[in-house]
Amino acid sequence: VMMAATNVKLAAAQAAFVRVMMMVCPLVLISCSVAFGVVVPVITAVAATFVTTQVGVAVIVSKNILVGVVTQVSDRTSQAELVISSQVKVNAEVSSSGVRGIVQGEHGLGLLFDLVSQDEVLNIGDMVVTSGLGGQFPKNLLIGEVSEIISGGPELFQKANIKPATNLRHNKLVFIIKK
């Protein structure tokens, strides 16, 4: 009986915290478990009944780090694909120089910064953030850091491998940005 009362109090406190978070900032706190498929890595997030979201919104962790995008919504759960999925494409830019391109997942193995003009200068260590172009993701969500530059001589565009800003396999709490 004592344990049940404690669990009820804890649940009420968590629900109150989520309500406060919804009033203070445009984020909804949810808990999640991460399951990695062979091709498409996904997050399944469980939320309280009063939490509403929609397909296509950004999923982040603390410090405004982009980890995925919501792909399915039901009454009490949302499913999101991680940014390392080949199905996710993000308009991005280097935070210090404004160099723009597209970040996309490489079949759950990593991130590629693609469609960057050969005229632009990329450096290892450059921080890559969302550009806000297209309206799907807000500007300045951190994606990761340039770890390797791939530029071929006659090719029109250069590419870079991006090291994600967080370990995507160990996140326990995520935020869904409400539109």
Side-chain angles (χ1 to χ4, degrees):
V1 175
M2 183 72 117
M3 181 68 111
T6 303
N7 287 343
V8 169
K9 287 180 183 177
L10 180 59
Q14 288 173 336
F17 177 74
V18 171
R19 281 190 210 101
V20 169
M21 289 295 292
M22 289 175 65
M23 288 185 281
V24 173
C25 62
L27 303 175
V28 178
L29 179 65
I30 59 176
S31 62
C32 72
S33 59
V34 177
F36 291 88
V38 175
V39 177
V40 182
V42 296
I43 296 173
T44 301
V46 180
T49 55
F50 58 85
V51 175
T52 58
T53 189
Q54 60 194 84
V55 171
V57 296
V59 178
I60 64 171
V61 292
S62 63
K63 300 181 183 174
N64 288 333
I65 299 172
L66 181 68
V67 294
V69 60
V70 173
T71 55
Q72 293 179 355
V73 177
S74 66
D75 291 342
R76 293 189 54 107
T77 64
S78 295
Q79 191 170 57
E81 289 197 39
L82 295 174
V83 291
I84 57 174
S85 166
S86 59
Q87 302 300 310
V88 177
K89 293 176 178 52
V90 181
N91 287 310
E93 65 186 15
V94 173
S95 62
S96 60
S97 65
V99 171
R100 291 191 173 152
I102 304 289
V103 170
Q104 73 178 67
E106 293 193 291
H107 308 287
L109 302 174
L111 294 169
L112 183 69
F113 191 29
D114 200 359
L115 300 178
V116 177
S117 171
Q118 288 285 1
D119 298 336
E120 301 288 358
V121 176
L122 285 176
N123 298 300
I124 292 177
D126 281 347
M127 301 308 288
V128 179
V129 298
T130 55
S131 67
L133 294 175
Q136 182 177 11
F137 302 104
K139 189 173 176 63
N140 291 324
L141 297 178
L142 181 58
I143 299 169
E145 179 180 337
V146 174
S147 60
E148 178 185 12
I149 300 166
I150 308 162
S151 59
E155 295 195 26
L156 189 56
F157 298 104
Q158 61 182 316
K159 302 175 184 182
N161 287 324
I162 304 294
K163 178 183 174 193
T166 187
N167 185 332
L168 298 170
R169 290 174 173 83
H170 293 112
N171 293 311
K172 300 296 181 205
L173 291 174
V174 296
F175 299 89
I176 294 176
I177 296 182
K178 294 178 73 175
K179 283 191 175 183

